[in-house]
Amino acid sequence: MPKQQDSNLVASRIFTSSSLSLGISIAIGTALLAAPAWSQSIMEAGGLHAGVAGLGAGLAASQNHGAAVRSTYEVAAQAQQAILAQNKAVEQYLTLGTKYEAKKDWAAAEKCYSFVLQVVNRRDGPGSANGLPALKHLVSVNVAQNKITDAINFQKTVVAFTERSKTANPQAVIQTKLDLSNLFIRQSDYTSAEPYLQQSAAVAEHETAIPIAQRKVTLTTYSTVLRKLKKTSEADAIEAVLAAQGSEETKQPSSEQASKDSAMRDSTVKEPALKEQTSQAKNTPESASGKTIEKTIEKSIQPPQPPVESKASTELK
């Protein structure tokens, strides 16, 4: 009996292990069969999530782009409004400064012109030539207040802007340097005035477009400064140039005088011809016919004479 029980126990164990291994095999086979569908579902779910995420990112990017465009447009509009406001401020304060300057309120005028210069520098950048009108006014206002040093600094900037201009006018350049030299002369600073006058004299001596009056003033001022600096030989040379120019001017009359002379000659030639024409007109038959016409007109405008009474009219009476 014990042997039979042991054999039954062994058989049951073998059956249990075999059934267990069969179950495991079935489970593994099922898993292997279901793996492709499961993996495909996972991939599809991942793709869906990625598409949704990409769509959200695209929407966010478009919203950010729209916000950036709106902010750029607002910044441009604000900048344009600021430029218009600055232009208006420049115009208004220049006008206000000239009014104060006409009233000789130098301090108020200086504040207006200084504000204009600040606005121009903020709008166009520092060193802009658009501030030249305000700079010129600041020179005159500071001279009126006897602040010559400040006027000299402003005038130096005026000279620099005038020389740097693309359409630099030699007359304007000479005049700005002459004005600066005169400011140095007011301070008896002849050494600082000399180089500007030397440059102006060189241009005035060779530039034919310079007016005679401006050339004379420039060379005369230069010779005066040279004598103050004890440079006698150079001053003599400048004065010799002035003398030569003066002799040439006496030999060649000016264009205005020449036009006046030609007009006088034309009038003297025309006067006898006019007299001769008038005398001939008096003796022509047309003048005689004119006289007869005048007589007929006088007769036509005479008052009517009273009618002569006839015999019939007297008998009726």
Side-chain angles (χ1 to χ4, degrees):
M1 288 293 295
K3 290 182 179 180
Q4 188 177 358
Q5 291 179 351
D6 291 338
S7 62
N8 291 333
L9 180 63
V10 170
S12 63
R13 286 180 179 175
I14 292 169
F15 178 78
T16 302
S17 61
S18 61
S19 61
L20 180 63
S21 61
L22 180 62
I24 292 172
S25 300
I26 292 170
I28 291 171
T30 304
L32 290 173
L33 291 172
W38 181 68
S39 61
Q40 183 177 1
S41 65
I42 291 174
M43 290 175 64
E44 289 177 355
L48 178 62
H49 288 299
V52 172
L55 180 61
L59 289 174
S62 64
Q63 289 178 356
N64 293 332
H65 179 68
V69 170
R70 284 196 300 274
S71 63
T72 303
Y73 176 76
E74 290 174 358
V75 169
Q78 291 175 0
Q80 187 175 7
Q81 290 177 357
I83 290 173
L84 292 174
Q86 289 169 348
N87 293 340
K88 191 173 181 180
V90 168
E91 183 179 354
Q92 288 179 347
Y93 276 90
L94 269 177
T95 305
L96 186 61
T98 53
K99 290 180 179 179
Y100 281 127
E101 194 173 357
K103 294 178 182 179
K104 296 184 179 181
D105 191 350
W106 311 119
E110 184 179 1
K111 289 180 181 178
C112 291
Y113 296 138
S114 299
F115 180 73
V116 170
L117 203 60
Q118 291 175 4
V119 173
V120 170
N121 289 336
R122 190 179 304 129
R123 182 192 64 187
D124 304 333
S128 173
N130 292 325
L132 194 57
L135 283 168
K136 291 180 179 179
H137 282 291
L138 283 170
V139 172
S140 59
V141 166
N142 279 279
V143 169
Q145 298 177 88
N146 202 25
K147 297 193 290 186
I148 307 301
T149 303
D150 294 338
I152 286 172
N153 292 329
F154 286 124
Q155 187 63 29
K156 285 181 179 179
T157 310
V158 171
V159 171
F161 283 157
T162 307
E163 283 184 324
R164 279 200 328 233
S165 176
K166 293 181 180 178
T167 59
N169 186 1
Q171 298 180 25
V173 174
I174 287 177
Q175 189 60 47
T176 54
K177 290 183 179 182
L178 184 62
D179 294 338
L180 180 57
S181 301
N182 287 329
L183 291 174
F184 282 125
I185 291 170
R186 289 187 65 165
Q187 288 188 328
S188 299
D189 189 359
Y190 303 108
T191 304
S192 299
E194 182 189 4
Y196 293 101
L197 288 169
Q198 185 180 10
Q199 297 168 9
S200 300
V203 175
E205 197 172 348
H206 299 95
E207 188 68 39
T208 57
I210 304 301
I212 296 173
Q214 190 178 26
R215 186 182 293 112
K216 277 185 178 180
V217 171
T218 303
L219 294 178
T220 303
T221 308
Y222 186 32
S223 66
T224 303
V225 168
L226 288 173
R227 292 200 179 277
K228 291 288 184 180
L229 294 172
K230 308 299 182 183
K231 297 182 178 181
T232 308
S233 59
E234 297 179 12
D236 291 339
I238 296 297
E239 290 173 0
V241 173
L242 280 169
Q245 290 181 357
S247 61
E248 289 179 1
E249 290 171 13
T250 54
K251 290 178 182 178
Q252 297 177 357
S254 62
S255 59
E256 294 181 359
Q257 187 65 32
S259 61
K260 288 180 181 179
D261 294 341
S262 62
M264 289 178 66
R265 285 194 299 270
D266 293 339
S267 62
T268 54
V269 170
K270 289 178 180 179
E271 282 180 0
L274 289 172
K275 289 180 181 179
E276 186 176 355
Q277 290 177 2
T278 52
S279 63
Q280 289 177 358
K282 289 180 180 179
N283 298 325
T284 56
E286 293 179 355
S287 61
S289 62
K291 290 180 181 179
T292 57
I293 293 170
E294 289 176 359
K295 287 181 180 181
T296 56
I297 292 172
E298 288 176 359
K299 289 179 181 180
S300 65
I301 62 175
Q302 287 179 359
Q305 298 293 329
V308 179
E309 294 181 355
S310 61
K311 290 180 179 183
S313 60
T314 51
E315 289 176 357
L316 288 172
K317 289 180 180 179

